[in-house]
Amino acid sequence: MAPVSKRDKKEEEEGGNIFQNLDKTSVLQDARTFNDTPVNPRKCTPILTKILYLLNQGEQLGTTEATEAFFAMTKLFQSKNAVLRRMVYLGIKELSTLAEDVIIVTSSLTKDMTGKEDLYRAAAIRALCSITDATMLQTIERYMKQAIVDKNPSVASAALVSSLHMSKTAGDVVKRWVNEAQEAINSDNVMVQYHALGLLYHIRKTDRLAVNKLVAKLTRMNLKSPFAVCMLIRIACKQLEKDGGDYADSPLFDFVESCLRHKSETVTYEAAAALVNLRNTTARQVAPAVSVLQLFCSSSKPVLRFAAVRTLNKVATTHPPVVTSCNFDLENLITDSNRSIATLAITTLLKTGAESAVDRLMKQIASFVSEISDEFKIVVVQAIRALCLKFPRKHSTLMTFLSAMLRDEGGLEYKASIADTIITIIEDNPEAKEIGLAHLCEFIEDCEHVSLAVRILHLLGKEGPKTIQPSRYIRFIYNRVILEIAVIRAAAVSALAQFGALCPDLLPNILVLLARCQMDTDDEVRDRATYYYHLLKLQEKGLIFNYIVDPMQVCLVSLEKSLAQQVHDKVPTKFDLKSVPPAPVVSTTEDTAKETIPEGSISSAPNRIVPVQSTVSSYAEKLQGVPGLQSIPGTLFHVSEPIELTESETEYVVTCTKLTYPHHLVLQFECKNTLSDQLLENVRVQIEASEGYRIVKEIPIPKLPYNETHCAYVVLQFPEQLSLTVTNFGATLRFIVKDCDPSTGIPDADDGYDDDYMLEDVEISISDQIEKVSMDREAFDRAWEAASDEDFTESEDTFNLPGMSGLEQAVTKVVKFLALEPTGLTKVSERSSFTLCLPGMFRGGVEVLIRAKLAVANNGVSMQFTVRSAHSDIAELICAAVG
Amino acid sequence: MEGLLLEPSLYTVKGIAILDNDGHRVLAKYYDPAVFPTSKEQRAFEKNLFNKTHRANAEIIMLDGLTCVYKSNVDLFFYVMGSSHENELILMSVLQCLYDSISQILRKNVEKRTIFENLEIVMLAMDEICDGGILLEADPTSVVQRVAIRTDDIPLGEQTVAQVLQSAKEQIKWSLLK
């Protein structure tokens, strides 16, 4: 038997793939057969198929090769063989981007497109549109319009879809076909209807009224195509979102809801998902969608179950109580053979589950966790993390579970996500700290991932000294010094130094250990040990605090640049560290925004480490490229949020970004021209600088064609007198208009006329001059105490903030006004008074500490506002600006 | 996660792939230049996709930010990829149409050997189902009609002897099965 089956197999392999081992050169050689007359379809079709197969396999053709093949292929138009002709169309589409002079086949394709053979027409249209550009499109416009309303559905669909593709390059031409598209939407064919709706919406989507009309009409029309209904649901939701506010008596909302009862599952699911994804829905509005999804949960089709549980997962984040009714169905899905479904079911249950159910669920997960792959384990770990934050009292159960998972086999990412979770729990829940640290200590005893060990050691250094019994961690850390590689040893030495700095009673022991580390074979470890040993030996509080416990945070990228500049300039000035902007603050809001990766998804590539570049340094780089802006002294210090100076739907759209340098202010105006029949030249923003400010330079935009965005700049010098810096500038956009042809963008005449356009005022506030600094609460308190001596001045005032409904609102408003990063901001709403601490850095590198004590008063919130700064003017300025 | 409404657009399909039982590409097309722009990235994705799917017959998976629905038969794997927020059921109808059309074209012999024998027709069918990421036709019967062959009426003269025998064998087999 064996030899026979082997031969069979071999035969099969040989016969199985006649396309195996194809050689590009020989296939292209074969393409010469295309030139024979009469054309032999039996020979040519396989050759053409081979060419297309090679292209599909990712073979690269050079321009000459492609062009030669393309021209040989055009000979095949002589053949009447249907398959061959269709393959030629396919070939044209594939080669259109590679070969040159492809427009040569326009007339042949136009002939086929308008010919009698229905089989050719649709495909010819699609091939033709792939080789046509905006200017050529006008010559075939008449045929396209006819094709859109053709009674053959495949022709109409092809024309509609091609129009949509073309609208990317020739939007204006396609816009003229709106009447034809309108007619096609009434077609009996479901696909034509769907495509017509897609094109119609694409043409009209900028015009809200027209879209509203379209939707209103179609919702009454009862579209036949389920795809078209899905599309309509999406459009309706988009409109609902734009209108905002209340959905209660909106006909659009009623339409979406009515689609829940559509006979097609595709539509009902689309409607349910749309309702779930709509913002600001009430639980009652989501409930019908949830009951539809619940039905899907018990479907026999995995796709439907997956779709349902994934959407329920989303509901669980927004309206957890609504999903609880599905808990029973979800629990059945935990054992689903599709692991994505099972994992999603688990995470959904964890989100909605009550505190009492946690133990039971964890048991269920434990039975299942060993069977699933790392990617899904990570998803589960993330769900557990959310659970820990929700039920802090359950931390011991969850922590034990996590440490068990930590001991299992697993890749770096999986382990890192567990460690992350434990770290988050420790940070969030002081009760869990000791247990968490103990688990982590145990983990680093046997951890093969260097980066993870280093992170944990750093954490031990930060958190360990603050525990009741710091000495117990020393052993774990010192073990690392003895047993591990250099990188980990260095991290362990730094952690030891932290203990030495913060626990005076352990200091003698630490000194002994550090002294031993000075004998290390690695330079870095030795350097660190020596550095810390000598600092600690001095036993000087200030030094220890500034150089071990809370070392300075500067933006490393900027520091590197400044130092390079310093070396390059060879100026014998002293390097001023304060000129370097502080490290960018990663605010917690950004963190949540990053989690856009859908749950239940797995990713093959490890999360790419995005090089951390702050907005400041990216702007600094950009400005370096603008001629005329390099000469500004100092480094870029602060970048404001962009502010719109026009309504978003006007002729010219201008947004302003304020860039602060130590002594200069650069206003960047991003201008966009939305008029297709105008070319703007010499575009500049004229600023009416207020008293004290001096305009140093203006950089205009030489040319601003339609639909392009360019930047104009104005450089100003800050006034000497600080109180004048907070002000408003009047702004006007000035430019030369040249009327031009909308389709080509070439101006009609050489000379234009001057025109201007009023912009809204540019406001320069205090927040533009302060950069946020990240600091934890303790560090702030220490800095605050340190700032009480005579070097610092204090400015204090009391304000009444009327019309504030609560503390939370007041805090948000103050933080937003100053655009700083608050320290230790915790649940504000539960208290009646709150102290807000805002550390910052004024331009020029002056430290600013702001403390605002807020308390609920009879009518609003009262605030005691205190500023401490080394510079008295700054303190006064900030105080005054708040009032 | 915050509300994520789908942008109303016809561009539904990010890619279609047919792989063999070793995970090698038979045919594949990617429609979004932002998704796997180079051949190398596409290969890497396919390899990964195949590794994740060839054992578990689960129909749907989310991989690298894409929702992938799949179906396998004998020694072939059919995949349709869409954005992770896309309606999974629409993707499923694309897959179903792809599979059913090919099945009709190959007269229910959906396997690697026959697919290579009819590669040109399969290419045409894929082109009829999806054009540049837009679902062009979801009904397999229409697709088969449009790819220029109606399965039963290729003139006998244009078929090779082997093809005639093959179709005869098929017809006998199917009549027996009924």
Side-chain angles (χ1 to χ4, degrees), chain B residues 58-152:
Chain B
E59 269 194 30
I60 185 162
I61 188 172
M62 291 183 75
L63 187 69
D64 291 348
L66 292 177
T67 301
C68 315
V69 290
Y70 60 100
K71 192 176 174 72
S72 64
N73 192 326
V74 194
D75 50 3
L76 288 173
F77 289 80
F78 298 82
Y79 298 91
V80 172
M81 282 77 79
S83 117
S84 61
H85 305 293
E86 191 49 70
N87 184 333
E88 292 87 345
L89 300 183
I90 295 185
L91 296 177
M92 199 58 198
S93 30
V94 180
L95 178 69
Q96 202 61 48
C97 173
L98 174 74
Y99 183 82
D100 290 348
S101 322
I102 290 178
S103 168
Q104 279 188 39
I105 291 164
L106 305 179
R107 295 165 205 186
K108 301 203 168 64
N109 276 319
V110 186
E111 52 184 285
K112 193 172 155 190
R113 193 170 53 86
T114 49
I115 211 170
F116 273 115
E117 278 167 14
N118 296 284
L119 197 64
E120 68 276 13
I121 309 291
V122 175
M123 280 180 177
L124 291 177
M126 260 172 82
D127 179 59
E128 284 294 341
I129 293 168
C130 183
D131 184 277
I134 299 179
L135 172 56
L136 198 57
E137 181 57 70
D139 174 31
T141 327
S142 317
V143 172
V144 174
Q145 268 172 18
R146 285 181 198 177
V147 294
I149 55 147
R150 243 161 276 140
T151 38
D152 357 75

Side-chain angles (χ1 to χ4, degrees), chain A residues 392-619:
Chain A
R393 269 184 296 163
K394 282 285 163 199
H395 70 81
S396 64
T397 322
L398 297 168
M399 198 76 96
T400 329
F401 184 78
L402 285 174
S403 70
M405 284 171 95
L406 206 49
R407 277 194 293 274
D408 286 343
E409 286 296 299
L412 170 63
E413 266 190 84
Y414 169 50
K415 291 288 167 72
S417 83
I418 301 178
D420 268 340
T421 306
I422 297 185
I423 293 169
T424 323
I425 299 171
I426 292 173
E427 277 166 2
D428 197 65
N429 188 349
E431 278 173 51
K433 191 185 277 179
E434 300 261 336
I435 313 170
L437 288 179
H439 283 309
L440 290 176
C441 281
E442 212 169 288
F443 173 57
I444 53 168
E445 290 280 282
D446 183 26
C447 169
E448 72 262 46
H449 307 295
V450 176
S451 58
L452 212 50
V454 169
R455 269 186 61 194
I456 293 173
L457 282 169
H458 179 75
L459 180 83
L460 283 177
K462 279 268 168 261
E463 298 292 335
K466 295 174 200 160
T467 52
I468 306 163
Q469 208 188 346
S471 56
R472 61 196 285 201
Y473 300 106
I474 305 280
R475 181 172 62 87
F476 288 105
I477 297 173
Y478 192 66
N479 276 348
R480 296 304 100 210
V481 179
I482 304 168
L483 298 169
E484 292 284 0
I485 59 162
V487 182
I488 299 180
R489 290 204 302 271
V493 166
S494 300
L496 282 178
Q498 296 284 342
F499 280 89
L502 291 171
C503 310
D505 46 330
L506 289 176
L507 187 59
N509 302 348
I510 298 283
L511 282 175
V512 173
L513 293 178
L514 284 178
R516 263 189 232 166
C517 296
Q518 288 179 21
M519 316 291 186
D520 199 282
T521 48
D522 185 77
D523 290 348
E524 171 75 25
V525 182
R526 247 186 352 254
D527 286 353
R528 283 197 195 190
T530 317
Y531 172 72
Y532 288 126
Y533 179 77
H534 288 286
L535 268 181
L536 287 173
K537 220 176 160 188
L538 290 174
Q539 301 205 358
E540 217 174 288
K541 268 239 147 75
L543 270 180
I544 290 175
F545 180 76
N546 281 334
Y547 290 96
I548 300 180
V549 181
D550 191 34
M552 184 144 50
Q553 292 169 320
V554 289
C555 176
L556 289 181
V557 184
S558 313
L559 177 64
E560 190 191 334
K561 270 184 207 147
S562 313
L563 286 172
Q565 183 77 26
Q566 179 86 7
V567 173
H568 182 75
D569 287 353
K570 294 185 186 122
V571 187
T573 48
K574 217 168 120 193
F575 182 72
D576 183 13
L577 202 50
K578 286 197 167 161
S579 67
V580 180
V585 180
V586 184
S587 64
T588 40
T589 45
E590 269 174 61
D591 273 354
T592 44
K594 264 186 225 152
E595 286 174 17
T596 44
I597 304 158
E599 278 187 73
S601 113
I602 52 179
S603 172
S604 58
N607 290 344
R608 273 173 224 100
I609 296 154
V610 188
V612 182
Q613 199 181 27
S614 59
T615 38
V616 172
S617 49
S618 64
Y619 262 99

Side-chain angles (χ1 to χ4, degrees), chain A residues 108-132:
Chain A
S108 305
L109 287 173
T110 317
K111 212 176 101 203
D112 281 355
M113 164 181 172
T114 52
K116 284 201 178 58
E117 186 66 74
D118 274 347
L119 275 177
Y120 295 167
R121 287 169 62 203
I125 290 172
R126 292 193 284 129
L128 182 58
C129 286
S130 73
I131 59 160
T132 307

Side-chain angles (χ1 to χ4, degrees), chain A residues 11-26:
Chain A
E11 205 169 78
E12 211 179 286
E13 262 167 22
E14 276 167 1
N17 194 350
I18 45 166
F19 294 93
Q20 225 160 38
N21 309 323
L22 279 184
D23 174 44
K24 180 173 84 173
T25 341
S26 68

Side-chain angles (χ1 to χ4, degrees), chain A residues 257-305:
Chain A
E257 203 175 11
S258 73
C259 287
L260 288 174
R261 294 179 292 278
H262 199 273
K263 58 181 185 299
S264 157
E265 278 172 347
T266 312
V267 175
T268 40
Y269 170 63
E270 180 75 43
L275 286 177
V276 168
N277 284 331
L278 267 179
R279 253 174 280 240
N280 310 327
T281 40
T282 61
R284 209 169 51 84
Q285 283 164 330
V286 177
V290 171
S291 32
V292 166
L293 295 170
Q294 186 175 8
L295 277 181
F296 286 172
C297 277
S298 45
S299 159
S300 61
K301 297 182 199 156
V303 172
L304 211 50
R305 293 201 300 272

Side-chain angles (χ1 to χ4, degrees), chain A residues 343 346-347 350 365 369 372 374-388 401-402 405-406 413-422 425:
Chain A
T343 317
I346 286 263
T347 51
L350 288 179
I365 298 173
V369 83
I372 56 176
D374 269 12
E375 294 99 339
F376 290 128
K377 283 184 190 162
I378 294 174
V379 179
V380 173
V381 170
Q382 276 158 0
I384 295 179
R385 180 205 302 227
L387 200 63
C388 288
F401 184 78
L402 285 174
M405 284 171 95
L406 206 49
E413 266 190 84
Y414 169 50
K415 291 288 167 72
S417 83
I418 301 178
D420 268 340
T421 306
I422 297 185
I425 299 171

Side-chain angles (χ1 to χ4, degrees), chain A residues 89-145:
Chain A
Y89 298 146
L90 213 52
I92 290 173
K93 281 204 281 187
E94 290 294 330
L95 291 174
S96 65
T97 47
L98 302 170
E100 285 173 337
D101 301 326
V102 287
I103 48 167
I104 200 108
V105 288
T106 305
S107 63
S108 305
L109 287 173
T110 317
K111 212 176 101 203
D112 281 355
M113 164 181 172
T114 52
K116 284 201 178 58
E117 186 66 74
D118 274 347
L119 275 177
Y120 295 167
R121 287 169 62 203
I125 290 172
R126 292 193 284 129
L128 182 58
C129 286
S130 73
I131 59 160
T132 307
D133 58 18
T135 46
M136 293 290 296
L137 189 61
Q138 284 169 351
T139 60
I140 55 162
E141 186 176 356
R142 187 162 57 93
Y143 303 122
M144 286 299 286
K145 279 183 168 180

